[in-house]
Amino acid sequence: MQLKHNNVEDVLIVRPLEKRIDASTATEFKQKMNEWIDSGNRRIVLNLSEVDFIDSSGLGAIISGFKKIDNNGNLVICVVKESVMSLFRLTRMNRVFDIYASENEALEALSGKA
């Protein structure tokens, strides 16, 4: 799975470059997220601007990263297409994750959080 990542101060921005996060890519996505979290990244913005579809495996991989960070940081999501947002609403994950319209909004929100 192709993932673009960069740091803005102490915030890691992760942007999947694939159209889908599904059973065929979820394991690799989860492994990369775990590596970044294990190496000390505690504030993560997940930019889903390229993603058109997420299945239950993909959602599980995102939730896994969220749980791994736990109360030691934060994982927020930004730039979610309607096709993906409908999944977040259906599963009520839109109540669990902080979801922002833009990457800048997500960065601003994290700048005030530990």
Side-chain angles (χ1 to χ4, degrees):
M1 168 169 226
Q2 290 188 346
L3 296 165
K4 181 179 177 188
H5 68 284
N6 64 299
N7 284 82
V8 175
E9 295 178 17
D10 66 338
V11 177
L12 175 68
I13 300 169
V14 177
R15 184 163 53 101
L17 300 177
E18 311 277 333
K19 295 287 182 198
R20 301 170 63 93
I21 302 176
D22 57 19
S24 66
T25 59
T27 302
E28 188 178 349
F29 175 81
K30 181 178 174 180
Q31 287 173 339
K32 282 304 293 178
M33 291 295 288
N34 284 340
E35 287 174 23
W36 285 318
I37 294 165
D38 288 342
S39 67
N41 291 287
R42 292 289 178 258
R43 298 186 332 159
I44 300 175
V45 172
L46 180 58
N47 181 330
L48 296 178
S49 60
E50 303 290 326
V51 179
D52 293 327
F53 177 80
I54 298 176
D55 72 0
S56 59
S57 300
L59 186 60
I62 295 170
I63 293 167
S64 174
F66 182 76
K67 285 183 173 181
K68 189 171 180 79
I69 290 175
D70 196 32
N71 292 326
N72 300 318
N74 206 350
L75 185 151
V76 301
I77 298 172
C78 68
V79 196
V80 180
K81 293 181 179 180
E82 184 54 37
S83 57
V84 173
M85 192 64 196
S86 63
L87 172 73
F88 281 105
R89 281 198 218 71
L90 181 69
T91 58
R92 297 186 179 219
M93 287 294 109
N94 61 319
R95 296 179 181 190
V96 174
F97 291 103
D98 293 329
I99 301 174
Y100 299 94
S102 73
E103 194 173 284
N104 283 339
E105 284 179 43
L107 284 168
E108 285 175 25
L110 280 183
S111 67
K113 296 180 179 177

PDB file of all heavy atoms in Angstrom, residues 24-36:
ATOM      1  N   SER A  24      -7.397  -6.263   1.153  1.00  0.00           N
ATOM      2  CA  SER A  24      -6.116  -6.470   0.476  1.00  0.00           C
ATOM      3  C   SER A  24      -5.027  -5.488   0.930  1.00  0.00           C
ATOM      4  O   SER A  24      -3.843  -5.748   0.728  1.00  0.00           O
ATOM      5  CB  SER A  24      -6.296  -6.376  -1.040  1.00  0.00           C
ATOM      6  OG  SER A  24      -6.661  -5.072  -1.421  1.00  0.00           O
ATOM      7  N   THR A  25      -5.405  -4.383   1.560  1.00  0.00           N
ATOM      8  CA  THR A  25      -4.421  -3.376   1.980  1.00  0.00           C
ATOM      9  C   THR A  25      -4.421  -3.101   3.477  1.00  0.00           C
ATOM     10  O   THR A  25      -3.492  -2.481   3.986  1.00  0.00           O
ATOM     11  CB  THR A  25      -4.667  -2.046   1.239  1.00  0.00           C
ATOM     12  OG1 THR A  25      -5.994  -1.598   1.522  1.00  0.00           O
ATOM     13  CG2 THR A  25      -4.469  -2.180  -0.257  1.00  0.00           C
ATOM     14  N   ALA A  26      -5.447  -3.552   4.187  1.00  0.00           N
ATOM     15  CA  ALA A  26      -5.614  -3.190   5.597  1.00  0.00           C
ATOM     16  C   ALA A  26      -4.467  -3.674   6.481  1.00  0.00           C
ATOM     17  O   ALA A  26      -4.016  -2.939   7.366  1.00  0.00           O
ATOM     18  CB  ALA A  26      -6.948  -3.715   6.124  1.00  0.00           C
ATOM     19  N   THR A  27      -3.969  -4.875   6.245  1.00  0.00           N
ATOM     20  CA  THR A  27      -2.893  -5.410   7.081  1.00  0.00           C
ATOM     21  C   THR A  27      -1.637  -4.565   6.955  1.00  0.00           C
ATOM     22  O   THR A  27      -1.011  -4.201   7.961  1.00  0.00           O
ATOM     23  CB  THR A  27      -2.599  -6.878   6.714  1.00  0.00           C
ATOM     24  OG1 THR A  27      -3.801  -7.630   6.886  1.00  0.00           O
ATOM     25  CG2 THR A  27      -1.503  -7.462   7.582  1.00  0.00           C
ATOM     26  N   GLU A  28      -1.287  -4.221   5.731  1.00  0.00           N
ATOM     27  CA  GLU A  28      -0.096  -3.383   5.508  1.00  0.00           C
ATOM     28  C   GLU A  28      -0.290  -1.988   6.102  1.00  0.00           C
ATOM     29  O   GLU A  28       0.628  -1.429   6.714  1.00  0.00           O
ATOM     30  CB  GLU A  28       0.191  -3.291   4.015  1.00  0.00           C
ATOM     31  CG  GLU A  28       1.495  -2.614   3.698  1.00  0.00           C
ATOM     32  CD  GLU A  28       1.787  -2.567   2.200  1.00  0.00           C
ATOM     33  OE1 GLU A  28       1.091  -3.236   1.416  1.00  0.00           O
ATOM     34  OE2 GLU A  28       2.724  -1.835   1.836  1.00  0.00           O
ATOM     35  N   PHE A  29      -1.479  -1.432   5.935  1.00  0.00           N
ATOM     36  CA  PHE A  29      -1.795  -0.119   6.510  1.00  0.00           C
ATOM     37  C   PHE A  29      -1.639  -0.167   8.033  1.00  0.00           C
ATOM     38  O   PHE A  29      -0.987   0.695   8.630  1.00  0.00           O
ATOM     39  CB  PHE A  29      -3.221   0.292   6.116  1.00  0.00           C
ATOM     40  CG  PHE A  29      -3.683   1.566   6.760  1.00  0.00           C
ATOM     41  CD1 PHE A  29      -3.300   2.795   6.249  1.00  0.00           C
ATOM     42  CD2 PHE A  29      -4.499   1.533   7.872  1.00  0.00           C
ATOM     43  CE1 PHE A  29      -3.706   3.978   6.839  1.00  0.00           C
ATOM     44  CE2 PHE A  29      -4.922   2.709   8.482  1.00  0.00           C
ATOM     45  CZ  PHE A  29      -4.526   3.931   7.962  1.00  0.00           C
ATOM     46  N   LYS A  30      -2.200  -1.175   8.651  1.00  0.00           N
ATOM     47  CA  LYS A  30      -2.132  -1.321  10.106  1.00  0.00           C
ATOM     48  C   LYS A  30      -0.682  -1.460  10.571  1.00  0.00           C
ATOM     49  O   LYS A  30      -0.280  -0.844  11.563  1.00  0.00           O
ATOM     50  CB  LYS A  30      -2.957  -2.538  10.538  1.00  0.00           C
ATOM     51  CG  LYS A  30      -2.989  -2.769  12.025  1.00  0.00           C
ATOM     52  CD  LYS A  30      -3.872  -3.974  12.347  1.00  0.00           C
ATOM     53  CE  LYS A  30      -3.816  -4.319  13.821  1.00  0.00           C
ATOM     54  NZ  LYS A  30      -4.666  -5.465  14.144  1.00  0.00           N
ATOM     55  N   GLN A  31       0.123  -2.250   9.852  1.00  0.00           N
ATOM     56  CA  GLN A  31       1.531  -2.426  10.215  1.00  0.00           C
ATOM     57  C   GLN A  31       2.290  -1.104  10.177  1.00  0.00           C
ATOM     58  O   GLN A  31       3.071  -0.799  11.082  1.00  0.00           O
ATOM     59  CB  GLN A  31       2.199  -3.448   9.293  1.00  0.00           C
ATOM     60  CG  GLN A  31       1.790  -4.867   9.554  1.00  0.00           C
ATOM     61  CD  GLN A  31       2.325  -5.845   8.512  1.00  0.00           C
ATOM     62  OE1 GLN A  31       2.672  -5.469   7.401  1.00  0.00           O
ATOM     63  NE2 GLN A  31       2.378  -7.111   8.882  1.00  0.00           N
ATOM     64  N   LYS A  32       2.073  -0.320   9.113  1.00  0.00           N
ATOM     65  CA  LYS A  32       2.776   0.971   8.997  1.00  0.00           C
ATOM     66  C   LYS A  32       2.349   1.908  10.114  1.00  0.00           C
ATOM     67  O   LYS A  32       3.185   2.589  10.723  1.00  0.00           O
ATOM     68  CB  LYS A  32       2.513   1.620   7.638  1.00  0.00           C
ATOM     69  CG  LYS A  32       3.302   1.043   6.495  1.00  0.00           C
ATOM     70  CD  LYS A  32       4.806   1.070   6.704  1.00  0.00           C
ATOM     71  CE  LYS A  32       5.409   2.444   6.733  1.00  0.00           C
ATOM     72  NZ  LYS A  32       6.861   2.454   6.987  1.00  0.00           N
ATOM     73  N   MET A  33       1.044   1.953  10.398  1.00  0.00           N
ATOM     74  CA  MET A  33       0.558   2.816  11.476  1.00  0.00           C
ATOM     75  C   MET A  33       1.185   2.392  12.811  1.00  0.00           C
ATOM     76  O   MET A  33       1.636   3.246  13.579  1.00  0.00           O
ATOM     77  CB  MET A  33      -0.973   2.778  11.560  1.00  0.00           C
ATOM     78  CG  MET A  33      -1.676   3.425  10.385  1.00  0.00           C
ATOM     79  SD  MET A  33      -1.393   5.214  10.252  1.00  0.00           S
ATOM     80  CE  MET A  33      -2.357   5.799  11.627  1.00  0.00           C
ATOM     81  N   ASN A  34       1.232   1.086  13.069  1.00  0.00           N
ATOM     82  CA  ASN A  34       1.841   0.586  14.305  1.00  0.00           C
ATOM     83  C   ASN A  34       3.314   0.978  14.399  1.00  0.00           C
ATOM     84  O   ASN A  34       3.785   1.362  15.466  1.00  0.00           O
ATOM     85  CB  ASN A  34       1.683  -0.931  14.419  1.00  0.00           C
ATOM     86  CG  ASN A  34       0.289  -1.344  14.809  1.00  0.00           C
ATOM     87  OD1 ASN A  34      -0.483  -0.554  15.359  1.00  0.00           O
ATOM     88  ND2 ASN A  34      -0.053  -2.584  14.516  1.00  0.00           N
ATOM     89  N   GLU A  35       4.036   0.883  13.280  1.00  0.00           N
ATOM     90  CA  GLU A  35       5.453   1.278  13.265  1.00  0.00           C
ATOM     91  C   GLU A  35       5.608   2.749  13.633  1.00  0.00           C
ATOM     92  O   GLU A  35       6.481   3.109  14.429  1.00  0.00           O
ATOM     93  CB  GLU A  35       6.061   1.035  11.878  1.00  0.00           C
ATOM     94  CG  GLU A  35       6.303  -0.412  11.548  1.00  0.00           C
ATOM     95  CD  GLU A  35       6.759  -0.615  10.107  1.00  0.00           C
ATOM     96  OE1 GLU A  35       7.302   0.333   9.493  1.00  0.00           O
ATOM     97  OE2 GLU A  35       6.550  -1.729   9.580  1.00  0.00           O
ATOM     98  N   TRP A  36       4.784   3.603  13.024  1.00  0.00           N
ATOM     99  CA  TRP A  36       4.884   5.039  13.314  1.00  0.00           C
ATOM    100  C   TRP A  36       4.534   5.327  14.768  1.00  0.00           C
ATOM    101  O   TRP A  36       5.197   6.138  15.415  1.00  0.00           O
ATOM    102  CB  TRP A  36       3.988   5.841  12.369  1.00  0.00           C
ATOM    103  CG  TRP A  36       4.536   5.951  10.978  1.00  0.00           C
ATOM    104  CD1 TRP A  36       5.829   6.178  10.612  1.00  0.00           C
ATOM    105  CD2 TRP A  36       3.806   5.840   9.761  1.00  0.00           C
ATOM    106  NE1 TRP A  36       5.938   6.219   9.236  1.00  0.00           N
ATOM    107  CE2 TRP A  36       4.715   6.014   8.699  1.00  0.00           C
ATOM    108  CE3 TRP A  36       2.465   5.608   9.456  1.00  0.00           C
ATOM    109  CZ2 TRP A  36       4.340   5.985   7.359  1.00  0.00           C
ATOM    110  CZ3 TRP A  36       2.083   5.569   8.123  1.00  0.00           C
ATOM    111  CH2 TRP A  36       3.009   5.755   7.088  1.00  0.00           C
TER     112      TRP A  36
END
